[in-house]
Amino acid sequence: MHKEMTSALISDLFGKKVISMDHLQMAFLRLLEGLPELTLDTPGAPEMLGQFIARAIADDCLPPRFIQDFKGKVHTDIMRESLDKADNLLNRKHGLCRLDDVWGVGGGRKPTKLLVKRIVLLLKEYLSSGDIDEAIHCLRDLEVPHFHHEVVYEMTVMVIEHLEDPGHTIANKMCKLLKVMYDTGVVTVDQLNTGFQRVYAIMPDLVIDVPHAYANLEAYAEICEKEHVFTKVLRSQLPSRVRKRFVSEGDGGRFKE
C-alpha cells in the first residue's frame, strides 16, 4: 500500500507542478545509479525501481523515451535489469491500463482521478486495436463495477470531441463496445442512463470548444438507439441546441427562437 501511495503522491505532485518532469528524470537517474548500494539491503530494489519507473511513465510523469534514453548510458547490469523491468511492463498488451495494479491495489482503494485516467486509456487502446474482449478485461481488472457509468460518460465525450469522424467510424466502434458491455451486464441500464445524463449536463460547456457537439451527440444517440443501447428516458431527455436567427429589421433586430 505504501508503494501505491508513493506512486500516487508522485503523480499528484507532478500534476500540481510542485515537481517538474526534469526533476523526476534526475531523481530516477540517481536512484538507478544508487542501485548497487540499495540492492545490498533490498535485493528486490532493481525490480521495484523498474515498477516505479513504469508507473511514472503510465501516469505521464516521465516521458515514454526515458527508458530508451538511459538504456545506452547505464554502466551496470543491475541498472539495465531495472530498465528492462520497466520496459517489459510497459510493452505488455494494454500495459498502460494494467500498470495501475502494479502494486496490487484493489479497485475500491484507487483514487477516482486514477480510475478515470485508466478508463480513458483503455478506450483509446480499444479504438486503436478494436479488441472488445481485451477492453472489457481491462475494465473488469479495475474492480469498480459501481463506477462503470464513467465508461459510458467517457466514450460519449470522446465521440463528441472528435471533430472529424468520416462515416461515424469512432461512434460506431464505441457503440459496438457499449452494446457488448450492456448485453453482458458489464454496464447496467442505470449506469447507461447515468453516463449519458452526465454528458447531457455538460453539453453547454462542451459546445464552446466543439461547435458541432449537439449534432455529434444526436448522431451517436441514433447509432446507439438502432443497437438498442439507448433508453426511452435518454431519448426524451436528449438536449438540442436552440438555434436563434434574425427575423427582420421590422422586429427591431430581435432574435427569435
Side-chain angles (χ1 to χ4, degrees):
M1 185 60 180
H2 290 134
K3 296 169 191 172
E4 171 61 29
M5 290 173 67
T6 301
S7 285
L9 179 60
I10 290 171
S11 179
D12 285 344
L13 291 175
F14 177 76
K16 293 175 181 176
K17 300 183 179 179
V18 176
I19 52 177
S20 69
M21 189 172 286
D22 287 341
H23 289 148
L24 284 172
Q25 289 188 80
M26 287 188 287
F28 276 110
L29 182 56
R30 287 186 63 185
L31 286 167
L32 283 167
E33 292 171 342
L35 275 176
E37 291 185 17
L38 287 171
T39 308
L40 296 176
D41 296 320
T42 311
E47 179 178 1
M48 198 182 305
L49 181 56
Q51 290 171 295
F52 271 115
I53 290 172
R55 174 63 177 271
I57 291 173
D59 287 342
D60 295 325
C61 300
L62 286 177
R65 67 175 188 279
F66 177 84
I67 296 173
Q68 299 306 322
D69 282 354
F70 289 105
K71 257 191 176 182
K73 299 177 183 178
V74 297
H75 47 270
T76 65
D77 289 340
I78 207 167
M79 294 168 70
R80 193 169 293 105
E81 177 188 343
S82 187
L83 290 173
D84 284 342
K85 174 65 176 180
D87 203 16
N88 290 336
L89 286 170
L90 288 162
N91 285 318
R92 291 182 304 171
K93 190 173 183 180
H94 292 276
L96 289 174
C97 290
R98 291 174 172 170
L99 275 165
D100 65 318
D101 284 325
V102 71
W103 304 122
V105 178
R109 297 163 70 183
K110 296 170 190 158
T112 301
K113 184 171 70 172
L114 182 61
L115 290 170
V116 171
K117 185 172 184 178
R118 295 297 175 248
I119 288 171
V120 171
L121 273 173
L122 76 84
L123 288 175
K124 287 182 178 178
E125 292 196 19
Y126 161 69
L127 286 177
S128 175
S129 69
D131 193 332
I132 290 178
D133 291 338
E134 189 64 24
I136 293 176
H137 180 72
C138 283
L139 179 61
R140 282 178 166 150
D141 276 353
L142 294 177
E143 299 177 345
V144 283
H146 60 282
F147 198 57
H148 287 183
H149 59 83
E150 182 68 25
V151 185
V152 181
Y153 172 83
E154 295 295 345
M155 62 170 53
T156 306
V157 170
M158 288 173 71
V159 168
I160 290 171
E161 289 182 339
H162 275 84
L163 298 178
E164 296 182 7
D165 185 17
H168 301 300
T169 303
I170 293 171
N172 279 297
K173 286 187 77 170
M174 285 300 197
C175 180
K176 187 176 180 181
L177 174 61
L178 181 59
K179 180 173 175 57
V180 175
M181 288 181 169
Y182 184 68
D183 289 348
T184 57
V186 175
V187 168
T188 67
V189 65
D190 287 340
Q191 291 169 338
L192 181 74
N193 286 336
T194 299
F196 270 105
Q197 287 163 348
R198 287 177 57 206
V199 176
Y200 291 179
I202 64 166
M203 286 302 290
D205 295 322
L206 276 177
V207 78
I208 295 172
D209 297 318
V210 187
H212 300 296
Y214 284 95
N216 291 352
L217 176 61
E218 174 69 31
Y220 184 52
E222 289 180 4
I223 291 170
C224 290
E225 202 165 25
K226 288 178 182 177
E227 295 299 327
H228 307 291
V229 283
F230 198 75
T231 65
K232 291 181 179 178
V233 170
L234 292 176
R235 168 51 70 181
S236 67
Q237 296 175 347
L238 186 68
S240 59
R241 189 177 191 180
V242 177
R243 298 181 181 274
K244 297 182 178 182
R245 59 185 175 84
F246 278 113
V247 178
S248 70
E249 291 183 5
D251 294 306
R254 295 191 305 274
F255 280 110
K256 194 167 184 178
E257 300 295 333

